[in-house]
Amino acid sequence: MSLPQNAGARGGAMGAGMQHVSSWSRDIRLASGLVLLAFATSHFLNHAVGIFGVQAMEAVQNWRYWFWHSWVGTVALYGSLVVHPFFALLRVAERRTFKMPAREMLQIALGLAIPLLLVDHIINTRVMGAYFHVDESYHSVLRRLWPYSMLTQSLLLLLVWAHGMIGIHFLLRSRESYRHWRDVFLLGAILVPLLALIGFFVGAREAQLMGLPPELVTRAQRDMVAFNVTSAKAVFYGLVGCFMIFVAAREIRVRTTGQITMRFVGHGTRRLAPGPTVLEMFRRFGIPHAALCGGRARCATCRVLVIDGADSLPAPGANEARLLRRIAAPDRVRLACQIRPRDDLQVQILLASRLNAAPGRSLEPDAMLGRRDLTVMVADLRAFSALSERQLPQELIGLLNRFFDEMSQAITAHEGRIDAFYGDGFMAVFGLEGTPARAAQAAIAAAADIVRAVEALNREFGAALPLPLRIGIGIHTGNAIIGAVGNDNLGRREITVGETVMIASQLESATRRVLADVVVSDDTIRTAARTYPGTTALKVAIKGREAPLAAFGFASAPEIARRKRGADAPAAAAPVAPPGGRADPAPVPAAPDPDDKPAEP
């Protein structure tokens, strides 16, 4: 039974209002958090300079004060110091379930613990300096903090930095470019607090040895500082208490009102009070789901298809609408983290997580997941069907085992990865580590080793084979999607998918029609930036493409052109056709179907 019509209308309007508030409050929370992180980073780097002495710290401090003690810096800093905790508490209060990943719980816990130590630090430095004209220079502050406040100040530094780094990681983890400098980010996240603590310890000990007279602070000033500290903490935790009372009152209200029926395709039907987002419902009922950004509308992994009840939902907010346009989402696709149903609803998860995921657990993204510029190789033994009809099963399987062992060694020797074995062929990828140029060069070099390995197998098994072994190899460089799939029965497998794989497969099929052992696309040759003699220029028709693909055929193992002695290093050149070869690229018809295995010759 759904809510009454007027209640549903009021709820829909209220849901739309909350959605818009959540949209712009997220932006305010992000902007204020970045301001606070910028201040903390400059402050900690200033600490790190303490490795070179207190005088160096104070020299850098003068530059830092130039901005943060100006009226612009002061307004930005203290405005953010008020706004960020308030909207963070507002976001926590908006939650309708507190089942969440441990990383989100850690960030919330850090945010609540920081004010316990931060209030004392602010009042004992900036407030005392502004109102009591106490010296704020490093040599004075370090003397006040060392050694009795050493542990608390070190803990404060670590809490602030950890809270900020978790937030930045959440912000950037769904961006494709993040993986390129993730290691640099991790290095900086470790070095900044480490160097700051070392600088703090070194500078504090030097300040203690300066032999300066003690600071004169009256009893009234101490009492005023203690009063300010107590008042500031009371205000903050009083605000936390108000939010807790609000959450408790809201839960009592929603449990005494009507309920709605939620139908989750493949996961049954649930009845509950309106208010939670669909993502929170997934967490509450332990439904496997994906939520890369943690419900902040920065990714689209939690999107669902609204099968029934879409008309009762409010229109997407600014952030949700922008993200849906970016992924070209069809009608009735919404972000589960942004919709709060007020009436009966039926949804289907579009990016399914593992069926046996732990309750409330979000899908964790694979570290390698994403789009990459890779070089893909597809290889296949020719005339394998005819060979299998003339060989005993034991001999055939033994030959295949030896073949795949040689192929694996050739691929791994050039830093490639075999993604799949299928019957008498395999697919390998290059470029998971290193530059695209290095990946293209490695793939061509691996192809040469494979051709030579097949020739060696022919010499070894020639007397026992009715037909000599021949192999066809297709290589193409382009953008592809990499990730991992699997379950408890099949295990985990790394896969590579995309148009690049399809083109490499069709180039492998083209080797039969042009009588070449290896066909390499022009994209791969250009990426490798090397010259390979003894090639034939080709034009290969690709299914789904109007224009043919430029490629080059190798009748034998590819070799790099050798430079003459005394010659300068040549620029990257296109391959040269062999003497007597075609002057123009030879057209090659498209394979019958890129998804079907080509017929054996």
Side-chain angles (χ1 to χ4, degrees):
M1 178 178 178
S2 61
L3 292 172
Q5 186 175 1
N6 58 346
R10 290 195 304 270
M14 183 171 62
M18 289 187 64
Q19 190 177 48
H20 289 297
V21 169
S22 177
S23 179
W24 58 259
S25 68
R26 188 204 75 169
D27 297 335
I28 293 177
R29 190 173 66 251
L30 172 62
S32 58
L34 291 176
V35 170
L36 294 176
L37 183 60
F39 174 81
T41 303
S42 65
H43 196 34
F44 297 161
L45 291 176
N46 200 162
H47 285 1
V49 178
I51 296 174
F52 305 102
V54 175
Q55 187 174 1
M57 296 176 78
E58 293 182 344
V60 175
Q61 184 184 44
N62 293 332
W63 286 96
R64 188 167 58 87
Y65 277 6
W66 174 81
F67 176 75
W68 293 113
H69 276 208
S70 67
W71 69 270
V72 174
T74 300
V75 171
L77 176 61
Y78 288 98
S80 299
L81 198 58
V82 173
V83 168
H84 188 73
F86 176 81
F87 281 100
L89 287 173
L90 182 61
R91 170 174 166 73
V92 173
E94 287 178 349
R95 289 180 177 270
R96 300 305 177 97
T97 179
F98 288 93
K99 288 184 177 180
M100 67 185 77
R103 61 180 184 271
E104 294 184 33
M105 185 66 74
L106 175 62
Q107 191 178 25
I108 293 174
L110 290 175
L112 293 176
I114 287 173
L116 276 174
L117 304 174
L118 184 61
V119 168
D120 298 76
H121 182 74
I122 294 175
I123 292 179
N124 278 285
T125 54
R126 189 72 178 267
V127 173
M128 289 187 66
Y131 292 97
F132 302 138
H133 305 291
V134 175
D135 190 3
E136 293 184 66
S137 61
Y138 262 104
H139 68 268
S140 297
V141 174
L142 290 175
R143 290 171 61 207
R144 290 200 295 269
L145 298 178
W146 186 272
Y148 303 108
S149 300
M150 174 191 66
L151 293 179
T152 57
Q153 294 304 303
S154 301
L155 180 60
L156 174 61
L157 185 151
L158 295 175
L159 292 179
V160 169
W161 190 251
H163 183 74
M165 291 301 99
I166 292 174
I168 290 295
H169 178 65
F170 272 132
L171 174 65
L172 300 177
R173 66 187 301 192
S174 60
R175 299 176 184 267
E176 181 65 24
S177 58
Y178 183 41
R179 65 177 180 83
H180 295 295
W181 48 277
R182 182 175 51 201
D183 293 340
V184 178
F185 173 81
L186 178 61
L187 180 63
I190 295 174
L191 284 181
V192 169
L194 178 62
L195 294 177
L197 289 175
I198 295 175
F200 172 61
F201 295 155
V202 173
R205 295 189 64 180
E206 180 182 341
Q208 290 294 316
L209 298 175
M210 286 183 174
L212 299 174
E215 292 183 317
L216 298 178
V217 180
T218 65
R219 183 178 182 84
Q221 290 176 335
R222 291 196 183 93
D223 293 341
M224 181 63 69
V225 168
F227 175 77
N228 289 336
V229 169
T230 304
S231 300
K233 291 182 179 179
V235 168
F236 177 78
Y237 289 103
L239 189 62
V240 174
C242 291
F243 274 101
M244 294 177 64
I245 294 173
F246 168 77
V247 171
R250 183 191 62 199
E251 288 299 312
I252 295 174
R253 181 180 62 83
V254 298
R255 292 179 185 276
T256 57
T257 59
Q259 294 186 326
I260 60 174
T261 300
M262 288 294 302
R263 294 178 175 85
F264 306 102
V265 176
H267 299 282
T269 301
R270 304 287 194 279
R271 288 185 57 80
L272 73 162
T277 65
V278 174
L279 178 61
E280 290 173 335
M281 295 178 188
F282 291 154
R283 290 175 171 175
R284 175 179 295 181
F285 299 123
I287 297 175
H289 61 281
L292 181 59
C293 69
R296 293 168 171 80
R298 294 190 184 120
C299 71
T301 55
C302 71
R303 60 185 180 270
V304 295
L305 175 64
V306 181
I307 298 176
D308 187 25
D311 295 338
S312 65
L313 294 174
N319 292 318
E320 181 185 7
R322 187 184 309 113
L323 190 55
L324 292 175
R325 285 195 303 269
R326 194 179 77 185
I327 64 172
D331 294 339
R332 295 189 299 138
V333 170
R334 299 291 300 271
L335 299 185
C337 64
Q338 298 299 303
I339 53 177
R340 298 179 182 272
R342 308 295 301 183
D343 294 291
D344 296 349
L345 199 68
Q346 184 177 9
V347 298
Q348 178 181 355
I349 299 176
L350 295 180
L351 295 181
S353 180
R354 294 180 57 184
L355 295 178
N356 62 345
R361 177 183 174 183
S362 297
L363 176 66
E364 285 290 341
D366 190 272
M368 298 292 291
L369 178 65
R371 292 185 178 273
R372 303 280 294 274
D373 289 328
L374 301 173
T375 297
V376 177
M377 171 193 293
V378 175
D380 189 71
L381 278 176
R382 297 178 185 168
F384 184 75
S385 296
L387 182 65
S388 62
E389 292 175 358
R390 305 181 187 184
Q391 292 289 104
L392 294 174
Q394 295 85 350
E395 294 177 347
L396 185 65
I397 298 303
L399 177 62
L400 282 178
N401 281 328
R402 181 63 185 279
F403 168 74
F404 285 129
D405 183 54
E406 295 290 340
M407 301 306 103
S408 298
Q409 291 183 38
I411 297 300
T412 56
H414 294 280
E415 300 180 347
R417 183 186 77 188
I418 294 182
D419 265 23
F421 287 109
Y422 49 88
D424 56 343
F426 64 90
M427 185 188 81
V429 294
F430 299 82
L432 299 173
E433 301 291 341
T435 63
R438 181 179 176 184
Q441 296 164 10
I444 297 175
D449 286 350
I450 290 172
V451 172
R452 285 190 285 265
V454 171
E455 293 172 352
L457 288 176
N458 279 324
R459 290 191 295 269
E460 181 178 348
F461 293 95
L465 294 175
L467 297 171
L469 295 177
R470 292 294 302 276
I471 193 168
I473 301 174
I475 301 175
H476 180 60
T477 298
N479 196 256
I481 298 174
I482 60 173
V485 297
N487 56 35
D488 289 341
N489 294 326
L490 299 178
R492 175 187 172 91
R493 290 182 56 193
E494 284 76 22
I495 63 169
T496 304
V497 296
E499 186 186 42
T500 301
V501 177
M502 180 270 294
I503 293 176
S505 177
Q506 293 201 31
L507 292 178
E508 182 276 320
S509 299
T511 61
R512 295 167 169 79
R513 302 189 295 278
V514 300
L515 301 180
D517 289 336
V518 183
V519 173
V520 183
S521 70
D522 181 63
D523 293 328
T524 301
I525 296 292
R526 291 181 181 276
T527 302
R530 287 184 176 177
T531 301
Y532 297 90
T535 62
T536 302
L538 304 170
K539 290 290 185 180
V540 182
I542 301 296
K543 280 280 188 179
R545 286 191 173 190
E546 295 182 1
L549 179 72
F552 297 90
F554 294 80
S556 59
E559 299 288 349
I560 302 174
R562 296 182 179 179
R563 290 183 296 173
K564 296 181 179 180
R565 290 185 178 180
D568 294 334
V576 181
R582 291 183 178 91
D584 297 323
V588 181
D593 193 325
D595 297 323
D596 295 337
K597 193 172 180 61
E600 301 289 350

